[in-house]
Amino acid sequence: MVSGFRALVAAWTLVLGALIATPAAAGVLQCVPYARQISGIELYGNAQTWWGQAAGRYDRGNEPRVGAVLAFSASRAMPVGHVAMVSQVVSDREVLLTHANWSYRGGIERDVRAVDVSPNNDWTDVRVWYGPIGGLGTRSNPAKGFIYPHQAPASDKVQIAMASASDGAAAGRAF
């Protein structure tokens, strides 16, 4: 009986030692890598730096568009800011967001409601769905605006299509 108890204590010591040796943040999904993955916007660093980094690299604005990333400012509640991708535009004052690490540590939330409550209708003050209360959060969050992913203008798409077609025709003639 004593040796069985010692084996059990030894096993628990190994398990607890492994848990203690693992950093608390290991494996926790953060908003930045998730937003980068789902939006294709190639920015790095804390979320609070995305707005500034996007200047000259990506179009930015205050109009919600599907695929755009809403860049939240740093605040007391969010010292490193937050980023979330627009998955649907409901109206000019309401969108659905897909993001990570908001309501639940490391959790992903898809198509959650966000409402522009800014006095100038410019998405600089936003209330976002918060899972633990089952509704919009009790506070608003400061935001910079939207960062838009790169998209080739329609005229560029036509030129690319025409070039591909002429390359295919030339390749067909070579045989």
Side-chain angles (χ1 to χ4, degrees), residues 39-112:
S39 72
I41 294 176
E42 289 292 322
L43 296 175
Y44 294 83
N46 288 335
Q48 69 179 351
T49 69
W50 274 41
W51 186 257
Q53 287 185 61
R57 294 180 62 190
Y58 292 93
D59 288 336
R60 303 179 305 172
N62 297 98
E63 175 191 335
R65 297 180 196 160
V66 171
V69 169
L70 179 56
F72 290 86
S73 303
S75 67
R76 185 171 174 224
M78 299 183 300
V80 294
H82 185 71
V83 286
M85 190 195 73
V86 177
S87 50
Q88 181 180 338
V89 176
V90 177
S91 71
D92 61 342
R93 304 275 322 250
E94 183 177 344
V95 298
L96 300 183
L97 297 176
T98 294
H99 59 165
N101 205 30
W102 183 265
S103 294
Y104 306 99
R105 188 166 184 259
I108 294 172
E109 294 177 292
R110 291 176 180 84
D111 301 325
V112 296

